[in-house]
Amino acid sequence: MIFQHLDKPDDDQPGLRAVLSEVYKRLISIDPDYAWTSGQWMMERKGGSNVRDTETVARRLTSEETQRDQKLGRDLDADEMPMGPWQIDGFKWCSSATDSNMAMMLAQTDKGLSAFFAPMRRRTGSHAVGKYELNGVRIQRLKNKMGTKGLPTAELELKGTRRWMIGKEGNGIKEISAILNLTRIYTTNGALGFWGRALSISRAYTKTRNVRDGLLQDNPQHLRWMANQTVDYWAALHLAFFGVALLGTTEQGRHVHDAREQMLFPPDDASLKILLRLLTPVMKAQVSVKSVEGVRACMECLGGFGYCENNEDGGIMNVARLFRDTAVTPIWEGTVSIMAEDTVRVLTDKRLGHSVVESVFGTWVKAVLKNCQDEGKFEKECSLVRSRLETFIGIVKQMDVPQLRWQGRAVLEHVEAIACACLLMYDACVDDDEVATEIARRWVWSKVLPGSLRQEQSEWRS
Ligand SMILES: Cc1cc2nc3c(=O)[nH]c(=O)nc-3n(C[C@H](O)[C@H](O)[C@H](O)COP(=O)(O)OP(=O)(O)OC[C@H]3O[C@@H](n4cnc5c(N)ncnc54)[C@H](O)[C@@H]3O)c2cc1C
């Protein structure tokens, strides 16, 4: 979000560009003494999904007010950078990373919701150099959460917080979406990390736990269950990493890939961005929900031991904690229904082209399938994926927006099933790996065949 404004002029906020340039350097730094972390405070009492009801207000300080702060030496932040010319008052109901150095947020101005940045701390005054206070932020109370205990989440009262406006006044939702798309990819990968850890723990457990006829790892029923879990995990892993690769390619260009890798990406930059835009809410929703289910299954794999708080060895075997931490991932950064709604928004947005589902998603799918068939693999599987794609294209074309929203979760499943099939088969073609090939086949045969859509359609009343 900040990167997009580095080259823009200060306009009516003198000093903004220099501040943003420093903030950007700190946010991407890996030097712990210099790097900053950031919170993003959107949610208010009236709701997190619907930020349009934001009650926090921002007003431009008068020149007398800025001069007064300047005289008192209260116009600098804790890193001696100038403070912005806006003041914010309001209440943020559920704000994480309250121990960070800065925060991005939304607040109402006369022209509507706008985006702002502020450092967390400011100088108390020129008479007290080196003394700092919170920048108009009062922590009302910490949330008592089910998990993610290492991350402080709080109710914050904002009074006189000095801020810089980012982007155009009234353009806050568009501005903040740059952050949301990133945090959704991070959430996806965080959820996946929890799931991967839980799977490793349960695999290790099967090597030592004795059941009736021997070790748990040799029990066919248990093995089959775990194998199916692993197929789901691999599919999620490929989808999430493809999201990261798409993001990296949009930021750094396709020259970072070799010729073979480039075949996995849409050939033009516009399609690349739209595919990323489409897959981001899908992976956020599907991977986070499946991670919760997956970690729960791993907990069950460990029997009663899995349900206990195993904090010996620093808690690395504590699947119960992993479960609590994973459980938030389908909620924060947008719930599953909000992700489904967003996916429908992309699929039906005429500004992105005549038919995103055909011209971007369909074209990408067909290109990857062709690549697999050129390798002489997965002939039957490719035709199954093609037929699921045709079904999906038909649905998107036939239904109007309210009906597609009503089908939101089915839409997510269609995109996930098709995209993961392509990625798993492509991966198996790269080196003919036996396990990758088997996993790709199992995914296609278990997930790509269309489900009970016809029955659901008959229930729709507009
Ligand atoms: C641990 C934790 C940390 C958080 N940290 C932050 C933070 O740092 N910054 C921040 O801004 N927020 C934060 N949040 C808030 C989080 O982003 C919201 O909880 C989330 O976006 C959901 O909003 P809500 O809680 O208001 O639920 P609601 O929006 O009220 O949702 C309730 C239900 O209604 C459904 N729903 C809502 N709208 C629609 C719709 N249009 N169509 C269909 N169904 C709908 C939802 O899917 C959900 O099932 C945090 C939340 C948690 C739990």
Side-chain angles (χ1 to χ4, degrees):
M1 179 177 173
I2 288 181
F3 178 74
Q4 288 165 0
H5 294 281
L6 289 181
D7 293 333
K8 297 198 176 146
D10 284 348
D11 289 334
D12 62 347
Q13 299 187 92
L16 172 67
R17 195 169 153 176
V19 168
L20 290 188
S21 157
E22 176 65 17
V23 169
Y24 180 71
K25 278 191 241 157
R26 285 179 180 269
L27 284 175
I28 62 167
S29 169
I30 50 170
D31 172 1
D33 293 331
Y34 179 70
W36 274 10
T37 56
S38 175
Q40 37 124 346
W41 303 341
M42 264 85 80
M43 191 188 181
E44 303 202 353
R45 268 174 292 216
K46 282 194 171 176
S49 303
N50 184 14
V51 290
R52 284 175 205 280
D53 285 344
T54 295
E55 292 171 324
T56 296
V57 289
R59 76 171 174 86
R60 180 88 192 202
L61 290 169
T62 61
S63 52
E64 290 78 40
E65 285 170 318
T66 42
Q67 277 164 16
R68 187 201 55 211
D69 270 3
Q70 204 172 2
K71 247 189 189 161
L72 293 170
R74 288 173 52 76
D75 58 334
L76 297 176
D77 69 19
D79 289 276
E80 308 293 315
M81 287 195 286
M83 311 273 284
W86 288 83
Q87 170 171 311
I88 289 195
D89 298 281
F91 193 81
K92 295 288 173 184
W93 194 75
C94 199
S95 306
S96 296
T98 40
D99 53 350
S100 59
N101 307 82
M102 57 170 274
M104 310 298 288
M105 71 164 67
L106 291 174
Q108 302 281 4
T109 70
D110 293 343
K111 293 187 180 162
L113 262 188
S114 307
F116 294 89
F117 142 79
M120 195 67 144
R121 286 168 196 81
R122 62 189 287 178
R123 247 168 67 173
T124 49
S126 49
H127 54 284
V129 176
K131 292 210 172 149
Y132 309 110
E133 62 186 10
L134 286 173
N135 176 17
V137 180
R138 202 176 131 251
I139 299 176
Q140 281 228 342
R141 65 173 177 141
L142 283 176
K143 295 286 191 194
N144 186 4
K145 299 181 287 179
M146 170 184 169
T148 62
K149 306 263 188 199
L151 172 80
T153 303
E155 292 172 18
L156 303 177
E157 188 188 339
L158 306 177
K159 217 169 184 178
T161 311
R162 290 260 321 240
R163 301 231 148 214
W164 296 96
M165 182 181 282
I166 307 288
K168 274 199 195 136
E169 192 173 346
N171 225 12
I173 292 184
K174 192 162 173 243
E175 288 292 336
I176 219 87
S177 64
I179 296 188
L180 285 181
N181 286 328
L182 278 182
T183 55
R184 285 170 185 170
I185 290 177
Y186 271 84
T187 299
T188 306
N189 284 279
L192 200 59
F194 292 134
W195 190 5
R197 164 95 71 92
L199 268 176
S200 310
I201 295 170
S202 34
R203 265 198 305 271
Y205 192 68
T206 62
K207 294 182 200 297
T208 56
R209 186 65 168 177
N210 274 306
V211 291
R212 196 176 47 230
D213 297 322
L215 282 174
L216 187 55
Q217 69 169 1
D218 300 322
N219 180 289
Q221 190 197 153
H222 189 82
L223 206 60
R224 180 159 187 251
W225 179 36
M226 279 288 92
N228 287 340
Q229 289 290 319
T230 306
V231 170
D232 284 357
Y233 173 72
W234 269 50
L237 186 77
H238 278 76
L239 186 58
F241 276 34
F242 184 56
V244 173
L246 280 173
L247 178 67
T249 313
T250 58
E251 287 176 351
Q252 297 179 31
R254 48 188 82 234
H255 64 273
V256 294
H257 303 292
D258 64 28
R260 180 170 190 143
E261 287 165 359
Q262 287 197 22
M263 287 160 71
L264 191 56
F265 298 94
D268 63 286
D269 289 351
S271 301
L272 192 79
K273 282 186 184 152
I274 297 170
L275 189 63
L276 173 64
R277 177 75 186 84
L278 174 68
L279 292 184
T280 299
V282 174
M283 70 179 85
K284 156 67 171 77
Q286 299 305 90
V287 175
S288 58
V289 166
K290 290 213 167 144
S291 297
V292 179
E293 291 165 3
V295 176
R296 189 217 60 79
C298 292
M299 195 192 289
E300 188 189 336
C301 278
L302 270 64
F305 180 69
Y307 190 70
C308 296
E309 299 280 349
N310 303 299
N311 283 321
E312 306 80 15
D313 306 322
I316 56 166
M317 298 280 280
N318 192 342
V319 181
R321 181 179 65 78
L322 290 178
F323 179 69
R324 287 199 308 273
D325 287 351
T326 316
V328 78
T329 59
I331 297 172
W332 67 15
E333 310 307 341
T335 61
V336 177
S337 298
I338 294 299
M339 294 303 98
E341 199 178 78
D342 198 34
T343 306
V344 170
R345 189 175 299 124
V346 181
L347 288 170
T348 53
D349 188 344
K350 293 284 174 257
R351 290 168 306 174
L352 300 177
H354 170 60
S355 165
V356 166
V357 68
E358 262 182 317
S359 64
V360 178
F361 187 59
T363 304
W364 172 73
V365 170
K366 285 175 188 162
V368 180
L369 295 181
K370 182 176 178 311
N371 187 267
C372 296
Q373 282 192 312
D374 288 350
E375 299 283 336
K377 285 189 86 153
F378 299 120
E379 197 163 323
K380 272 190 190 156
E381 286 78 8
C382 284
S383 87
L384 275 178
V385 178
R386 243 180 240 112
S387 108
R388 176 79 179 250
L389 175 68
E390 292 314 318
T391 308
F392 180 49
I393 290 175
I395 290 167
V396 176
K397 283 176 139 183
Q398 277 163 28
M399 292 184 184
D400 58 14
V401 172
Q403 199 175 357
L404 274 173
R405 280 198 196 131
W406 177 70
Q407 286 270 10
R409 285 174 194 243
V411 169
L412 291 173
E413 278 171 24
H414 279 296
V415 180
E416 179 205 19
I418 297 166
C420 290
C422 291
L423 295 168
L424 288 169
M425 288 194 290
Y426 178 91
D427 176 53
C429 288
V430 168
D431 55 5
D432 258 339
D433 182 81
E434 203 185 333
V435 174
T437 303
E438 184 57 27
I439 285 181
R441 287 219 166 93
R442 287 190 192 191
W443 175 266
V444 173
W445 287 99
S446 64
K447 299 289 183 344
V448 171
L449 293 168
S452 57
L453 200 81
R454 186 155 303 169
Q455 191 196 337
E456 281 198 35
Q457 263 179 311
S458 65
E459 292 165 9
W460 169 249
R461 301 273 183 281
S462 60

